[in-house]
Amino acid sequence: MKNILILGAGQSTPYLINYMLRNAKEHDWFVTVCDRDYNLAQSRVQGFEQYGIAVEFDVTDEALRHRYIQDADIVINLLSPAFQFMIAQDCVNFGKHVITASYANLRISDLHKDALRKGVLILNEMGLDPGIDHMSAISMINKIREKGGIITKFISYGSGIPAPEVLSNPFRYCITWNPRNVVMAGGDGAQYMENGKIKILSQDETFRRTWDMEIPGVGRLEAYPNRDSLIYIDIFGFKKVQTMIRGTLRYPGWSETWSQIIKLGIPNETMVIPHAEDMTYAEFTEMFIPLNQNGRNLRTRVARYLNISPTGKIMENLDYLGLFSDEKIGKPLKTAAEVMTDIVKNKMPLPEGGRDMVILAHDIEVEYPNDGNKKEKILSTMIEYGEPNGFTAISKTVGLPAAIAAKLVLTGELPITGAHIPTHPAIYTKILKELGTLGIKFTEKVEEI
């Protein structure tokens, strides 16, 4: 019997856990689901107790962590990226394969030689974005190169938003994954290339540099740059690319409000606020306004500080979040980011019977020097909808790549070792094939330009 250890039982994990449990009998697996919230972990294995168990788990408890990793044949880590290196290092030390949906980083790359020596696979970025986006991109890129094409523009978009019919809040956004990641998005700014020029944005500017993107079957969405796009020039082997951008999609209007929340300084998870639980939300907001902002009330002073209309849409959105409320916070939250995370989680739930929607899109321009310098524009899109009151699209698309990869490793169909992201042909060809059989596939639109 093969033992599978899954770390984390949050919103992105239900489909992953279900997949491993549904396949447990056929492959002789036993699945251990670990989370600090035992009841949450237990709910994920309900109905499959013969093949799985829930465990209350504190990842910082070294003895506990080591015991469960040692007993596993493979570890699927869906915990916060903050624990990624620690778990990967443990897995290498104990000779265990590990798969995660988190971005790879330099510390993980430093484990490559040790992983090779131990015969261990460290597979990062095996989710949706990063994950399916990389695999679909490199598959397209290689097909273009086989035809002699040179890519001059590559813009890749990712999004997890409510389906178009869901209108449950003025932001047109619902929390279907870690709300902390939503609050801290853009925290490191962004870097990309446009028309041969490198652009670097601060966090303040990230949500101000937006543009329209038309998605077939969905309509006009709003895009903003996501993290460091330039690292993918080397990863994808681009030689003559002039525009290289990774973008995030939201419904129009999200960024104009979120940029003001950033201007206030609320997404801060380093400064501890004394006795935040005793504050009202209005007192919380007051902390971010300079003393010289005189006015009759808090709303007016906030509007003056942000230089926005006191009766406009942005102020309506801030009001919806409850930032001017006299209600007490009433929870042991330590930082402003924690307060905002709690706010968006409570104010932006996916409503009963509502569906979420995942979008990936690649907007590519190609030149064919050996074909009369013909130029093409390719738009490749994938749209996946969640099930009303069932698995979310986020859960399915984040969880499935990791689940399929784990199955391939356990069945001996992915015999590679070292630290990787899924741009290796042995990884992406097999995983994209199974994703396609499950309905997760891309549609291409090609036109000459």
Side-chain angles (χ1 to χ4, degrees), residues 88-257:
Q89 188 173 46
D90 285 346
C91 288
V92 171
N93 289 339
F94 294 121
K96 309 297 181 179
H97 304 294
V98 59
I99 297 171
T100 177
S102 297
Y103 282 96
N105 56 49
L106 291 177
R107 296 187 74 197
I108 294 293
S109 299
D110 288 342
L111 294 173
H112 178 68
K113 291 182 179 178
D114 291 333
L116 287 173
R117 188 168 57 251
K118 285 290 190 77
V120 164
L121 173 63
I122 304 172
L123 184 50
N124 303 290
E125 305 190 10
M126 279 306 301
L128 168 67
D129 176 4
I132 298 176
D133 58 342
H134 293 346
M135 294 186 285
S136 57
I138 199 68
S139 179
M140 285 185 68
I141 291 165
N142 286 339
K143 290 175 183 176
I144 289 168
R145 286 178 179 149
E146 287 171 5
K147 296 190 296 182
I150 296 172
I151 294 173
T152 58
K153 170 185 172 183
F154 187 93
I155 306 180
S156 180
Y157 299 94
S159 185
I161 54 180
E165 73 273 9
V166 177
L167 304 170
S168 57
N169 65 67
F171 287 84
R172 296 196 69 188
Y173 189 81
C174 295
I175 299 297
T176 53
W177 60 309
N178 188 341
R180 180 261 174 195
N181 293 346
V182 176
V183 170
M184 299 307 298
D188 295 326
Q191 181 175 237
Y192 58 93
M193 179 184 288
E194 187 173 15
N195 297 327
K197 303 293 185 181
I198 292 175
K199 300 296 180 182
I200 299 177
L201 307 182
S202 66
Q203 183 185 22
D204 290 348
E205 284 297 312
T206 297
F207 292 92
R208 298 179 188 273
R209 302 281 183 94
T210 63
W211 64 95
D212 288 344
M213 180 61 190
E214 189 77 18
I215 297 295
V218 177
R220 184 175 67 91
L221 296 175
E222 171 184 280
Y224 65 85
N226 180 21
R227 299 181 182 240
D228 183 2
S229 302
L230 301 186
I231 60 173
Y232 294 96
I233 293 177
D234 288 335
I235 289 172
F236 292 152
F238 292 145
K239 302 298 184 183
K240 297 185 178 180
V241 72
Q242 294 296 299
T243 295
M244 177 73 215
I245 305 173
R246 281 169 53 82
T248 298
L249 298 174
R250 294 285 183 262
Y251 286 112
W254 169 271
S255 294
E256 68 177 0
T257 298

Side-chain angles (χ1 to χ4, degrees), residues 381-445:
T381 56
M382 181 212 81
I383 302 174
E384 180 72 18
Y385 292 94
E387 306 166 9
N389 301 323
F391 291 115
T392 62
I394 279 284
S395 171
K396 186 175 182 180
T397 53
V398 170
L400 258 178
I404 295 169
K407 181 182 72 173
L408 293 173
V409 171
L410 291 168
T411 56
E413 297 180 62
L414 195 57
I416 63 174
T417 57
H420 293 275
I421 64 173
T423 52
H424 192 295
I427 300 170
Y428 73 78
T429 52
K430 293 178 180 179
I431 293 176
L432 286 176
K433 182 179 179 180
E434 181 162 344
L435 286 171
T437 66
L438 297 170
I440 297 177
K441 57 183 68 176
F442 285 74
T443 300
E444 289 189 11
K445 178 182 177 183

Side-chain angles (χ1 to χ4, degrees), residues 51-70:
Y51 307 109
I53 189 173
V55 171
E56 184 177 348
F57 185 80
D58 179 358
V59 69
T60 64
D61 184 332
E62 184 178 78
L64 182 69
R65 191 176 72 246
H66 286 180
R67 174 158 64 88
Y68 280 102
I69 290 175
Q70 280 181 287

Side-chain angles (χ1 to χ4, degrees), residues 171-416:
F171 287 84
R172 296 196 69 188
Y173 189 81
C174 295
I175 299 297
T176 53
W177 60 309
N178 188 341
R180 180 261 174 195
N181 293 346
V182 176
V183 170
M184 299 307 298
D188 295 326
Q191 181 175 237
Y192 58 93
M193 179 184 288
E194 187 173 15
N195 297 327
K197 303 293 185 181
I198 292 175
K199 300 296 180 182
I200 299 177
L201 307 182
S202 66
Q203 183 185 22
D204 290 348
E205 284 297 312
T206 297
F207 292 92
R208 298 179 188 273
R209 302 281 183 94
T210 63
W211 64 95
D212 288 344
M213 180 61 190
E214 189 77 18
I215 297 295
V218 177
R220 184 175 67 91
L221 296 175
E222 171 184 280
Y224 65 85
N226 180 21
R227 299 181 182 240
D228 183 2
S229 302
L230 301 186
I231 60 173
Y232 294 96
I233 293 177
D234 288 335
I235 289 172
F236 292 152
F238 292 145
K239 302 298 184 183
K240 297 185 178 180
V241 72
Q242 294 296 299
T243 295
M244 177 73 215
I245 305 173
R246 281 169 53 82
T248 298
L249 298 174
R250 294 285 183 262
Y251 286 112
W254 169 271
S255 294
E256 68 177 0
T257 298
W258 203 259
S259 66
Q260 300 301 333
I261 289 171
I262 290 172
K263 184 176 179 180
L264 284 171
I266 293 177
N268 183 316
E269 56 183 3
T270 58
M271 301 294 181
V272 175
I273 302 171
H275 311 296
E277 68 273 17
D278 296 328
M279 291 182 175
T280 67
Y281 288 101
E283 290 169 337
F284 168 80
T285 303
E286 182 79 56
M287 292 190 299
F288 300 96
I289 306 302
L291 286 174
N292 63 356
Q293 292 293 317
N294 297 318
R296 291 180 301 172
N297 56 48
L298 178 60
R299 285 179 177 81
T300 301
R301 284 180 282 124
V302 167
R304 285 181 177 175
Y305 174 66
L306 297 177
N307 195 28
I308 59 175
S309 167
T311 56
K313 179 64 175 175
I314 295 173
M315 288 299 293
E316 287 180 6
N317 289 345
L318 299 181
D319 208 5
Y320 173 80
L321 294 175
L323 292 177
F324 309 117
S325 168
D326 290 327
E327 177 187 351
K328 282 198 172 186
I329 293 172
K331 298 177 183 179
L333 304 173
K334 295 181 180 180
T335 66
E338 287 183 4
V339 174
M340 181 54 72
T341 298
D342 188 65
I343 287 172
V344 299
K345 182 172 67 175
N346 292 316
K347 291 287 186 175
M348 301 180 189
L350 189 65
E352 185 76 14
R355 301 184 301 167
D356 69 326
M357 175 177 65
V358 159
I359 300 170
L360 290 180
H362 305 302
D363 183 7
I364 304 175
E365 291 184 7
V366 187
E367 293 180 356
Y368 294 92
N370 299 328
D371 189 9
N373 285 323
K374 182 179 76 172
K375 296 182 180 180
E376 283 184 345
K377 177 181 175 66
I378 306 171
L379 179 62
S380 177
T381 56
M382 181 212 81
I383 302 174
E384 180 72 18
Y385 292 94
E387 306 166 9
N389 301 323
F391 291 115
T392 62
I394 279 284
S395 171
K396 186 175 182 180
T397 53
V398 170
L400 258 178
I404 295 169
K407 181 182 72 173
L408 293 173
V409 171
L410 291 168
T411 56
E413 297 180 62
L414 195 57
I416 63 174

